[in-house]
Amino acid sequence: MEIFDLYDKDRNKLNQTMVRGDVQPEGTYRMVVHICIFNDKGQMLIQQRQPFKNGWSNLWDVTVGGHATTGEDSATAANRELYEEIGCQMDFSEKRPALTIHWKNPGSTKNAQGFDDYYLVRQNLDETQLKLQKEEVQAVKWASENEILKMIEDKTFIPYHPSMISFLFHLSLGSDCHTCSDWTIKN
């Protein structure tokens, strides 16, 4: 059972939590983190969700993503999600997200809304060395911006706004993209 801290519209932590799947209290927000890893060829490492995963099953997505759980700040959640999903360790404690997006699921009857923090990382990884979380990730591969945009069009990638994907690739070229000297992959 996953429990999330809740926040107000200004991202102040409230003295409230919710359980994943429950109706989110009106006027509250939850935090999600994404890590997008880019290589020197200008490609993003993407993951394919497991076919049995609830929500977006079998579709491709950015490198890593997930909710911050109770007691986690954004950087701690990013550390945990990166390690859980693909087996890499990177310390985000001194890093800021490249961008934060407010999201709202307009079709949801569960009042779902929150903040998405996007961390961008430049790291040349051998994807065959990664330890994928069997419960969530079935495969990873490197993909160019055009390949991802085509996958969105073909409905094999989570339906991000194409301009959002292009913006992430654009940001990856600048100082918003972190590099890491103490990068490790679990054995």
Side-chain angles (χ1 to χ4, degrees), residues 61-109:
D61 194 0
V62 299
T63 313
V64 169
H67 282 82
T69 58
T70 299
E72 290 182 324
D73 60 15
S74 177
T76 304
N79 288 338
R80 178 184 51 77
E81 287 290 343
L82 184 67
Y83 187 72
E84 283 179 359
E85 291 191 11
I86 64 170
C88 294
Q89 290 184 310
M90 179 177 174
D91 183 6
F92 289 93
S93 62
E94 298 297 318
K95 298 178 180 9
R96 302 237 341 119
L99 74 144
T100 299
I101 297 173
H102 167 255
W103 58 270
K104 183 172 184 167
N105 186 348
S108 173
T109 59

Side-chain angles (χ1 to χ4, degrees), residues 7-160:
Y7 300 83
D8 69 14
K9 68 178 181 59
D10 296 317
R11 203 170 171 149
N12 296 307
K13 191 171 165 183
L14 302 171
N15 193 19
Q16 284 181 274
T17 60
M18 70 169 283
V19 174
R20 178 189 281 277
D22 286 355
V23 174
Q24 188 170 331
E26 188 74 35
T28 65
Y29 300 78
R30 57 188 192 227
M31 187 183 346
V32 177
V33 297
H34 296 279
I35 299 97
C36 301
I37 300 175
F38 295 88
N39 64 20
D40 288 340
K41 296 178 184 175
Q43 299 168 310
M44 183 193 297
L45 186 67
I46 59 174
Q47 66 155 281
Q48 186 177 25
R49 296 168 64 86
Q50 287 286 11
F52 50 80
K53 181 96 170 97
N54 191 12
W56 310 116
S57 58
N58 231 25
L59 295 183
W60 290 87
D61 194 0
V62 299
T63 313
V64 169
H67 282 82
T69 58
T70 299
E72 290 182 324
D73 60 15
S74 177
T76 304
N79 288 338
R80 178 184 51 77
E81 287 290 343
L82 184 67
Y83 187 72
E84 283 179 359
E85 291 191 11
I86 64 170
C88 294
Q89 290 184 310
M90 179 177 174
D91 183 6
F92 289 93
S93 62
E94 298 297 318
K95 298 178 180 9
R96 302 237 341 119
L99 74 144
T100 299
I101 297 173
H102 167 255
W103 58 270
K104 183 172 184 167
N105 186 348
S108 173
T109 59
K110 297 186 177 189
N111 300 324
Q113 61 182 347
F115 306 99
D116 263 356
D117 285 345
Y118 284 82
Y119 292 87
L120 307 182
V121 176
R122 185 171 298 109
Q123 190 75 32
N124 292 313
L125 294 175
D126 178 352
E127 69 275 16
T128 65
Q129 300 299 308
L130 300 176
K131 306 294 183 211
L132 307 183
Q133 184 182 23
K134 289 179 176 40
E135 298 82 13
E136 296 206 22
V137 182
Q138 65 175 294
V140 294
K141 68 179 182 178
W142 291 103
S144 69
E145 177 183 351
N146 288 336
E147 289 169 322
I148 293 172
L149 294 175
K150 176 78 169 111
M151 292 170 79
I152 292 171
E153 184 180 310
D154 294 342
K155 299 184 180 357
T156 59
F157 203 94
I158 290 179
Y160 290 93

